[in-house]
Amino acid sequence: MNFSNIFPITLALAPLALGVVWKFSNGLSTTHKSIGLTAIGALAGGLIYMRSTLEIEPSILFLASAILLSGFCVIFSQEDKQQTSAIYAPIMIVLGLSLGVLLNQGIVSRIFLGGLLGYIGISQNREQQNSFRTKIIFLHISLAIILSLGSVFIGDSLQMFASLFLAVTFLPLAPFHLPFVGTIKDAKETLSSFWIVVWLIIGLAELRALYSSLSTQMLFTLSLLALVSATYASLASLGQKFNSLFVASATVAHVALVWGLLEVFPSFPKWGIPFGITLAFVMGGVSLAFSFVRQRYGWRTLGKLPGLALPMPRFGVAMVLLVSFALFLPLFPIFSGLMVMPTIVIHDVEIVRISFLFLVVWLGGGWYFLQMLHQTAFGEARSDVPYFDLRLTEFVAVSALLLGAAYSGMIY
């Protein structure tokens, strides 16, 4: 095994080992935060070194950088309290496993993916009750682990279907969205934001590797499934009372655009990956802003704390910017897809289907995002609640995700 193979494994194992040590040891929150931020800085330096020295796809490094930025924002925004120490270990563990998936190939990458899925399954089993939904999620994750580890040893056709199952799990389409929704719902505090980014990034990497193997018939089937998923998730977002489930449903609705446009626009890495990262940052930013309020007041229900923009102006500015960006999310893949499309040759039936998908996501998103903004930022603030605005580190963390979304969607 040469250096070009050892270095990516080392980059993945370093934060993983650090997270495992933190998991089974006690320490000061301030110390964990400083070490975590330093580790992420060192990992960023490692990615820069890989880009200049080793032969690796720029899109893979872009995906890995997105996970690093998300982890940095979550750690940087943590207040120095003893109870926040429990947040740092999962971040480093998931960060290490995710980098292992992205930066390695073959069996090594699949081992890291199996480890990530196993960690998700263990977390689900601990957090959720023994309900029928939980059992379905656990079976789904178990099957994903088997396929991730076994895909290296099976034939090409079966390997393609295994990769497709993993792709629709991590770039969630209904009815394969339950593990994603369950993970976001039960994630502690700010971890939900990090999980959104990690989940979509792994899905983008899976789809990138799979894209060239998809047949015309499979693309057509996926576009129909995307339309169904977008409609279902948009309606689910309108009916959600809990902020975590709202963000998860809105994410599933917008992810459908990636799948629905595969049949139309070529060169998925050039338009799909930037859009997917933009989507992950925006939804991660919304989840992060919600988690800050939830840490203060235990608030999980939309509408329970209206009028936050006046007593919490930083929060109000952050939510207005996030929702404004989210309202235009469906336009990004259209524009970037047209830029890489040499000619437009689309049948009338495809135009109708794609237009309907676009309208479902855009109009649905416009409705439920504006409704969410009205329920949180605007209205009359409660007189019985002592309001505390976002700290500077929290506002910077959300702003960094917004800047990352703007760079990915408009510049990259």
Side-chain angles (χ1 to χ4, degrees), residues 8 11-12 47 50 56 60-61 64 98-105:
L11 279 184
L47 293 184
M50 289 184 67
I56 188 168
I60 293 297
L61 292 179
S98 302
L99 291 179
V101 175
L102 295 173
L103 301 180
N104 295 281
Q105 298 178 352

Side-chain angles (χ1 to χ4, degrees), residues 124 128 133 137 177-187 245 248:
Q124 290 281 312
Q128 295 193 19
R133 185 185 181 92
I137 293 175
H177 66 298
L178 293 181
F180 170 73
V181 173
T183 300
I184 303 307
K185 174 179 176 291
D186 294 313
L245 291 176

Side-chain angles (χ1 to χ4, degrees), residues 110-132:
R110 290 311 185 186
I111 289 174
F112 277 108
L113 181 58
L116 179 62
L117 288 163
Y119 185 80
I120 294 170
I122 293 172
S123 301
Q124 290 281 312
N125 193 40
R126 287 179 178 177
E127 297 295 335
Q128 295 193 19
Q129 298 178 353
N130 191 24
S131 62
F132 177 75

Side-chain angles (χ1 to χ4, degrees), residues 133 173-175 177-178 181 226-238 240 249 252-253 360:
R133 185 185 181 92
L173 284 178
H177 66 298
L178 293 181
V181 173
L227 181 57
V228 173
S229 180
T231 304
Y232 164 79
S234 296
L235 292 174
S237 297
L238 285 170
Q240 289 298 347
S249 299
V252 174
V360 166

